[in-house]
Amino acid sequence: MHRRHLLNLVLASAAFALPFSASATQIRNARLWRSDDKLRLVFDLSGPVQYKTFSLSAPERLIIDLNGASLSGDFSQLALGNTVIRSIRSGHFGHGDTRIVLDLSGPIQLDSFLLPPQDGQGHRLVLDLKTVTPLQITTAPASTIDKAHPKRDIIVVVDPGHGGKDPGAVGAKGEREKDVVLSIAQLLAKRLKREKGFDVKLVRNDDFFVPLRKRVEIARKHNADMFISVHADAAPRLTASGASVYCLSEGGATSATARFMAQRENGADLLGATSMLNLKDKDPMLAGVILDMSMNATIAASLQLGSTVLGSLAGITTLHQKRVEQAGFAVLKSPDVPSILVETGFISNVRDSQRLVTARHQQAVADGLFEGLQRYFQKNPPGNSYIAWQQEQKKAQA
Ligand SMILES: [Zn+2]
């Protein structure tokens, strides 16, 4: 609740900074209907609007952008219980546009349209949400299940850190981070490729340099469900050893180590999260709000993934940190893709680096990462994925 309050405060100041013209369309109210096959959400408007919608997955969200519209009503009175909508968030962005985010409990089919004034009703934006629930699918005849379900692969983008002119950390005997992490990433990719229901892309498959910005772009281009950056760094304290998992933080870093690592990884190749959303020319506060809105859910997913992966690594190597650390890593700033950065160990530690260069340990780490990813997606499969379909089949048979 505290976060929400803070967001409202930011939104209020954003609205103050950009007064809307008197002609802006007001979103006055929202109403909800349920029928057997769909949920209808209606926004009452003071005039016509232009709008667009798009979906984000893992977790599922529907985003509605209304141009030249501002919010005068509030949605808190809507009874969302037992609907596919978990919560509704909203905020201003651009010059008087409004973004509404529906947090969904699963994938939906959307039908949306505008209605002109009629029968005492004003302008309306109507959204019909049809849930694609396991229940509906399992009650369908078996022959139609195959056709109805996309059974898509879960796309994991694996990012071996550094490369080319950037060796990363270098060990006492000349062990190079860029080589170690490439081997581990390639082994992880190989393992993922063997597993039905997963598809994998490597950010680099050889020893070349990839700028941070490019790494995030690759994840977005492939519509990644998950981005995992693999590292093996140096610490000023040579006794520091073991694996850690990091994800992006909304605020400050959770520890001094997280802060130090973030500074180090970001290096000279700094990437602002804002540049990904083309918000460079916008007020930084507004840009922050939009990012916040799309990132809240993704960070929660990243944290969950991170702790699952950390749990798997615990059996393979010592842990430097027993919980997922959060910091402002540039390479993780892909707001729509849950992302983690794994420090597989410390090249600067003699024992760690000796193990990290062996094929046997590299394979063990890759297997641990795979197991963590697999466990996470077994628990949180995207609704239209093969893994989700597989689970529906099992439930149907049970
Ligand atoms: Zn690194």
Side-chain angles (χ1 to χ4, degrees):
M1 278 301 102
H2 178 244
R3 272 207 50 73
R4 166 69 34 204
H5 183 71
L6 207 68
L7 182 65
N8 285 341
L9 211 66
V10 175
L11 289 173
S13 16
F16 182 73
L18 281 175
F20 303 116
S21 71
S23 63
T25 295
Q26 305 278 313
I27 307 158
R28 288 178 167 152
N29 187 31
R31 293 171 287 139
L32 205 60
W33 278 278
R34 278 167 242 227
S35 68
D36 285 347
D37 65 332
K38 67 179 180 235
L39 182 71
R40 172 165 284 189
L41 180 61
V42 178
F43 293 107
D44 291 309
L45 310 166
S46 66
V49 282
Q50 284 195 322
Y51 75 100
K52 69 172 198 274
T53 64
F54 62 97
S55 299
L56 295 170
S57 61
E60 305 287 340
R61 284 154 288 163
L62 176 70
I63 286 90
I64 308 125
D65 286 340
L66 299 104
N67 294 340
S70 66
L71 204 62
S72 61
D74 91 285
F75 308 142
S76 57
Q77 83 289 0
L78 283 176
L80 299 174
N82 280 326
T83 73
V84 71
I85 305 173
R86 279 189 171 143
S87 62
I88 304 183
R89 298 176 277 144
S90 61
H92 302 301
F93 74 105
H95 294 278
D97 299 334
T98 290
R99 167 166 289 187
I100 296 170
V101 181
L102 308 184
D103 294 307
L104 304 170
S105 57
I108 51 135
Q109 268 184 336
L110 176 72
D111 193 15
S112 70
F113 49 94
L114 292 164
L115 285 176
Q118 201 184 346
D119 301 332
Q121 305 258 36
H123 288 271
R124 282 149 293 163
L125 169 61
V126 181
L127 305 171
D128 283 340
L129 287 71
K130 279 191 185 170
T131 44
V132 192
T133 62
L135 198 69
Q136 279 175 10
I137 289 164
T138 51
T139 53
S143 60
T144 64
I145 291 175
D146 279 11
K147 284 177 200 136
H149 204 292
K151 290 191 272 183
R152 72 167 180 87
D153 285 338
I154 289 170
I155 300 157
V156 180
V157 169
V158 182
D159 170 42
H162 313 278
K165 67 180 183 189
D166 171 16
V170 179
K173 291 195 177 138
E175 305 94 335
R176 295 184 303 187
E177 179 184 0
K178 67 172 183 177
D179 302 328
V180 167
V181 298
L182 179 61
S183 300
I184 294 172
Q186 283 171 331
L187 290 166
L188 171 61
K190 224 169 154 184
R191 183 69 194 81
L192 280 163
K193 266 188 195 133
R194 280 215 313 272
E195 192 71 18
K196 190 159 166 54
F198 285 97
D199 191 12
V200 60
K201 309 281 176 203
L202 274 167
V203 165
R204 66 179 178 93
N205 203 5
D206 209 336
D207 183 19
F208 55 84
F209 178 74
V210 184
L212 288 177
R213 171 194 296 267
K214 190 82 206 296
R215 292 174 198 256
V216 180
E217 275 172 15
I218 290 170
R220 293 175 71 100
K221 195 184 82 196
H222 289 297
N223 290 320
D225 292 290
M226 171 59 48
F227 178 84
I228 173 165
S229 192
V230 185
H231 289 259
D233 275 280
R237 195 166 51 87
L238 297 183
T239 50
S241 71
S244 345
V245 176
Y246 295 85
C247 64
L248 195 65
S249 72
E250 297 168 73
T254 49
S255 74
T257 313
R259 196 158 41 238
F260 171 78
M261 286 298 181
Q263 275 162 8
R264 196 190 154 82
E265 296 296 352
N266 292 346
D269 195 349
L270 269 172
L271 160 75
T274 52
S275 65
M276 292 308 303
L277 293 178
N278 273 328
L279 299 170
K280 257 186 278 187
D281 52 344
K282 302 271 194 312
D283 182 309
M285 189 179 271
L286 292 180
V289 171
I290 297 167
L291 271 175
D292 178 282
M293 289 179 57
S294 49
M295 284 173 74
N296 273 347
T298 320
I299 289 175
S302 303
L303 274 169
Q304 207 188 333
L305 170 81
S307 65
T308 314
V309 167
L310 201 60
S312 297
L313 287 176
I316 290 147
T317 178
T318 56
L319 296 183
H320 182 62
Q321 303 284 354
K322 298 248 181 314
R323 56 179 192 138
V324 178
E325 296 284 294
Q326 288 185 278
F329 286 97
V331 75
L332 301 182
K333 285 183 178 169
S334 179
D336 303 338
V337 185
S339 310
I340 57 169
L341 186 147
V342 179
E343 295 285 0
T344 53
F346 288 91
I347 281 277
S348 51
N349 178 274
V350 174
R351 217 181 28 208
D352 272 10
S353 65
Q354 268 173 3
R355 293 182 80 199
L356 281 166
V357 294
T358 65
R360 189 196 166 109
H361 187 66
Q362 288 171 355
Q363 183 67 58
V365 171
D367 289 346
L369 295 176
F370 168 76
E371 194 193 299
L373 288 176
Q374 194 191 34
R375 273 202 293 148
Y376 171 80
F377 281 115
Q378 290 288 352
K379 253 194 241 163
N380 311 281
N384 56 0
S385 65
Y386 172 80
I387 306 285
W389 175 82
Q390 202 181 30
Q391 293 183 353
E392 285 156 16
Q393 297 302 294
K394 277 182 197 153
K395 269 184 218 155
Q397 283 158 15

